[in-house]
Amino acid sequence: MRTIPSLLSLLATLASPAAAATMAKQNDPASCITRPQLEALMTYALPSVLEGMGNRCSGTLAPNAFLRQSGPALAERYRAESERHWPVARTAMTSLMGQDMTGLGDTTEKAMMTSIVGVAIAETIKPKDCGDVNEAVELLSPLPAENLGRLTAMLMILGSKDSAPGESPFAICPAAKGDR
């Protein structure tokens, strides 16, 4: 069954915004993020992820597909819930990038993060996978943003446990791999 690996791969791409900035700092413990930071980062990114997936798949899915009909409302619901995770998500982003971005201002930082996430997701989805992506989003849609962020973080941590140094797109602090 290819749907589960596809979903795990899709969820793992949520880390892509950090990946571009952190590849060189992978093995530096100062650039790792904790599990709560990862959860906040994933929760904050959910609206952009949904929008990116919806944009990528809009030409492939039927007009009555969940992502096309309910995706925008779900993104707005998650946006309302995700905003409170911004302070911790910002800390995670700063850790991953290895530099403080607060000088850019909240609005610029948020716009940068959300646009990077949306583009990263859009680039990873193949049109042939849009049906699976649509079904996964529909199945997960009843979850609150925080639960989906936590689930995504947990799957990413599980997926990185057997990774050799440098294989994961970001560094998870060693204590974060099993701690909650």
Side-chain angles (χ1 to χ4, degrees), residues 8 11-12 14 34-36 38-40 42 146-161 170 172 176-180:
L8 292 175
L11 292 173
L14 295 174
T34 65
R35 184 169 179 166
L38 180 58
E39 290 172 359
M42 297 302 101
E146 186 171 340
N147 288 47
L148 188 52
R150 288 180 60 195
L151 174 63
T152 303
M154 181 192 76
L155 291 172
M156 292 170 73
I157 289 168
L158 287 173
S160 72
K161 281 189 177 186
F170 58 91
I172 301 170
K177 291 192 176 188
D179 295 342
R180 167 82 186 100

Side-chain angles (χ1 to χ4, degrees), residues 47-117:
S48 298
V49 169
L50 283 168
E51 291 164 350
M53 290 187 301
N55 290 337
R56 178 66 173 191
C57 293
S58 66
T60 305
L61 296 172
N64 64 343
F66 184 85
L67 261 175
R68 291 190 67 186
Q69 284 201 339
S70 302
L74 183 60
E76 285 307 309
R77 188 183 102 207
Y78 284 162
R79 185 168 283 110
E81 293 180 50
S82 71
E83 188 60 34
R84 68 183 179 86
H85 295 275
W86 171 246
V88 179
R90 172 197 268 163
T91 302
M93 211 166 79
T94 298
S95 293
L96 289 170
M97 295 181 75
Q99 64 185 111
D100 187 6
M101 297 183 351
T102 56
L104 297 174
D106 237 21
T107 304
T108 303
E109 286 179 71
K110 288 177 179 181
M112 185 174 78
M113 182 176 175
T114 56
S115 65
I116 291 170
V117 170

